């Protein structure tokens, strides 16, 4: 998970001190549901509770399980990606491209691709388009994250980013810009290895992704090729976001199921 700011700085955003947080925890140890709800409301993760209380992560998990709550539901509250990207953070950026790679053009190209892919199942097209657009319009994972009308680095989950307006357009631009960057460093051989890898839940797959994303590419692609790669990848990410995210309810970042997220989760 992201460590962009300290717990002191995180709580200070709400006008809460470490002492006040500890006092609340100690006064409500017999009310785990209140501690859980307060933690969720203020974006306090299990790791933060560990730092505040001194209780182990396992103890905190077992504590909430006594009332059938999962501590993991407090974790991964970031808007873009919920893992530490480290040196790969440089691949996350706003999209500043124009013409066929602009956000408007990529949006239209993705809609067109959905129509092409589901031309034999036209009844699915409206829902597929809705899934794509709602991913950016759904709002942040935590209600407080857009209270000041900006998303800062600690809310986005990527420490090197500057604050951006808390709008769907900002999220779509960050999504598109990151995919453009990803496909700029992956050559065709690397893409073939990644897509053909049999066990995508393995450490070996993650190692392949990290290695491939960390090395410059010699590939030269036309804008049309990049558009094709991005539209196909966008549709894959959107489908995974809703299919897996709805079941596990623990990864809300719009880049969590991109190659970046899969490399570092």
């Amino acid at each position: 998970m992201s460590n962009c700011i300290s717990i002191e700085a995180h709580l200070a955003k709400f006008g809460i001190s470490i002492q006040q947080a500890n006092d609340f925890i100690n006064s409500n140890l017999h009310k785990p549901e209140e501690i859980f709800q307060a933690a969720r409301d203020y974006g306090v993760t299990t790791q933060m509770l560990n730092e505040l209380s001194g209780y182990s992560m396992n103890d905190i998990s077992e504590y909430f399980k006594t009332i059938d709550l999962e501590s993991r539901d407090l974790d991964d509250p970031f808007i873009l990606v919920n893992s530490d990207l480290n040196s790969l953070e440089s691949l996350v950026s706003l999209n500043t491209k124009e013409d066929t790679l602009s956000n408007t053009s990529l949006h239209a190209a993705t809609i067109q691709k959905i129509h092409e892919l589901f031309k034999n199942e036209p009844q699915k097209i409206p829902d597929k388009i809705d899934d794509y657009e709602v991913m950016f319009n759904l709002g942040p994972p935590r209600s407080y994250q857009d209270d000041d009308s900006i998303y800062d680095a600690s809310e986005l989950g990527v420490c090197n980013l500057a604050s951006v307006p808390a709008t769907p357009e900002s999220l779509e631009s960050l999504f598109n810009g990151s995919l453009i960057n990803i496909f700029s460093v992956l050559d065709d051989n690397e893409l073939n290895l990644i897509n053909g890898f049999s066990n995508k839940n393995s450490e070996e797959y993650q190692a392949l992704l990290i290695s491939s994303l960390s090395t410059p590419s010699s590939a030269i692609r036309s804008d049309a090729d990049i558009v094709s790669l991005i539209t196909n990848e966008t549709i894959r990410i959107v489908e995974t976001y809703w299919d897996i995210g709805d079941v596990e309810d623990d990864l809300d970042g719009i880049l969590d199921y991109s190659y970046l997220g899969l490399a570092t989760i």
Side-chain angles (χ1 to χ4, degrees):
M1 61 174 291
S2 171
N3 292 305
C4 295
I5 60 174
S6 67
I7 186 170
E8 291 91 344
H10 177 77
L11 291 174
K13 292 165 67 174
F14 308 100
I16 300 172
S17 68
I18 292 289
Q19 185 62 54
Q20 288 172 317
N22 271 321
D23 288 346
F24 175 82
I25 291 171
N26 291 329
S27 298
N28 291 280
L29 286 175
H30 60 297
K31 300 177 182 177
E33 68 282 356
E34 291 195 15
I35 293 177
F36 185 92
Q37 190 57 52
R40 187 164 179 83
D41 289 344
Y42 292 102
V44 174
T45 64
T46 308
Q47 181 179 328
M48 290 180 180
L49 286 174
N50 161 249
E51 292 180 39
L52 281 168
S53 68
Y55 290 102
S56 71
M57 305 275 277
N58 185 65
D59 285 343
I60 293 168
S61 176
E62 293 301 316
Y63 171 69
F64 288 130
K65 281 182 179 178
T66 62
I67 55 168
D68 296 324
L69 292 173
E70 293 287 342
S71 62
R72 71 178 185 181
D73 290 338
L74 298 176
D75 299 333
D76 307 324
F78 304 109
I79 299 167
L80 290 182
V81 64
N82 285 282
S83 53
D84 286 325
L85 297 181
N86 298 314
S87 62
L88 298 180
E89 280 196 352
S90 61
L91 295 177
V92 181
S93 69
L94 291 163
N95 179 20
T96 59
K97 301 290 187 180
E98 299 178 347
D99 301 322
T100 57
L101 291 178
S102 70
N103 292 315
T104 300
S105 295
L106 288 173
H107 190 103
T110 302
I111 300 297
Q112 180 180 345
K113 177 64 72 172
I114 290 171
H115 278 274
E116 292 173 1
L117 290 174
F118 295 94
K119 63 183 179 181
N120 294 325
E121 300 174 286
Q123 73 279 6
K124 293 185 177 181
I125 291 175
D127 285 342
K128 294 294 181 181
I129 293 174
D130 191 52
D131 283 348
Y132 165 53
E133 295 182 333
V134 167
M135 190 174 76
F136 303 115
N137 286 275
L138 189 62
R142 300 291 187 267
S143 60
Y144 69 84
Q145 290 172 324
D146 58 1
D147 283 350
D148 57 359
S149 298
I150 64 167
Y151 295 138
D152 63 28
S154 67
E155 293 163 343
L156 293 167
V158 182
C159 299
N160 71 338
L161 288 177
S163 297
V164 299
T167 63
E169 291 77 15
S170 292
L171 298 184
E172 189 166 4
S173 181
L174 286 164
F175 181 88
N176 289 333
S178 301
L179 291 192
I180 290 171
N181 294 335
I182 288 170
F183 288 117
S184 295
V185 299
L186 295 177
D187 61 32
D188 290 340
N189 181 56
E190 289 168 329
L191 279 173
N192 289 335
L193 287 172
I194 290 167
N195 292 329
F197 205 91
S198 57
N199 185 2
K200 291 183 169 59
N201 294 317
S202 65
E203 292 182 0
E204 290 79 10
Y205 180 65
Q206 284 191 308
L208 172 62
L209 285 171
I210 292 172
S211 173
S212 300
L213 291 167
S214 300
T215 54
S217 169
S218 58
I220 299 176
R221 294 194 176 95
S222 67
D223 285 356
D225 287 340
I226 295 175
V227 169
S228 179
L229 287 167
I230 287 175
T231 53
N232 282 307
E233 178 68 351
T234 296
I235 291 168
R236 182 193 70 78
I237 291 171
V238 170
E239 289 183 343
T240 308
Y241 178 88
W242 291 112
D243 291 346
I244 294 181
D246 280 351
V247 173
E248 298 182 356
D249 195 31
D250 62 345
L251 287 177
D252 293 313
I254 60 175
L255 288 172
D256 277 329
Y257 300 106
S258 71
Y259 292 142
L260 273 177
L262 295 175
T264 54
I265 197 65

